[in-house]
Amino acid sequence: MFRIGLTGGIGSGKTRVADLLAEWGAAVIDTDAISHALTAAGGGAMAAILAEFGPQAADPAGALDRAWMRELVFRDPQARTRLEAILHPRITAATNAAAEAAAGAPYQVFVVPLLIESGRWRERVDRICVVDCDPATQVDRVQRRSGLTPEAIRRIMAVQVTREQRLEAADDVIVNDGATTPYQLMTRARALHDRWLELAAAKDRTA
């Protein structure tokens, strides 16, 4: 199976790219969506999170209180480690199950926000694709969609690798800066989709 690791900084537009690839037939496995499902009310990680962090870790509906947890892990790096110890094995298991279920797709796309940071994905995928934009555009997009302050957004960006590090690790890049139109983004993503179909077919022939 031909596998793409799709990543990009917060606000880069990787979710839109993933949606386009799914429309064109790729099997998209979004680890962020898996994480959100695990931390929703009644999600598979919530009992362990509440046991580790206490009832204050949940919002009134019983889901993970993301704002509370965000503040905690920024103040206490060990809290991040404790949270990751709960989430990562569960995310990995769910990701593997989703990949197995999608074995018949032309190729698979793993959407991983911290793909470069994790250090675990290079050997799991055939190519890494980065959706790239400048930091100012990231802040503007995230602020418009989430209401977070620029300071809070920059704090999130600070725990991610730099734009330069991400581009250095990329096999493929989709530019989605502030001047990019939806049509341009679609065209750039389509060109790579067609190329990946060719590479997937070539890999199948040599398997």
Side-chain angles (χ1 to χ4, degrees), residues 33-118:
I34 289 171
S35 175
H36 276 72
L38 287 169
T39 55
M46 282 308 300
I49 289 172
L50 293 174
E52 180 68 28
F53 294 98
Q56 64 269 28
D59 65 18
L64 177 66
D65 187 329
R66 295 186 175 278
W68 180 88
M69 185 61 74
R70 188 183 303 119
E71 288 301 316
L72 177 63
V73 301
F74 277 127
R75 294 194 313 268
D76 179 6
Q78 288 301 314
R80 178 184 297 277
T81 301
R82 289 156 56 203
L83 180 64
E84 289 175 348
I86 294 169
L87 287 178
H88 284 179
R90 291 169 171 82
I91 293 172
T92 297
T95 299
N96 291 342
E100 185 174 347
Y107 67 91
Q108 296 177 342
V109 179
F110 296 88
V111 185
V112 187
L114 299 181
L115 184 147
I116 310 300
E117 292 86 343
S118 74

Side-chain angles (χ1 to χ4, degrees), residues 183-200:
Y183 178 77
Q184 287 172 323
L185 181 63
M186 181 185 68
T187 300
R188 292 164 186 170
R190 183 72 201 203
L192 279 177
H193 168 73
D194 292 341
R195 176 60 177 153
W196 293 337
L197 286 176
E198 294 174 358
L199 293 174

Side-chain angles (χ1 to χ4, degrees), residues 166-181:
R166 201 177 286 115
L167 290 172
E168 185 178 351
D171 299 298
D172 301 300
V173 176
I174 297 175
V175 175
N176 186 32
D177 56 23
T180 301
T181 67

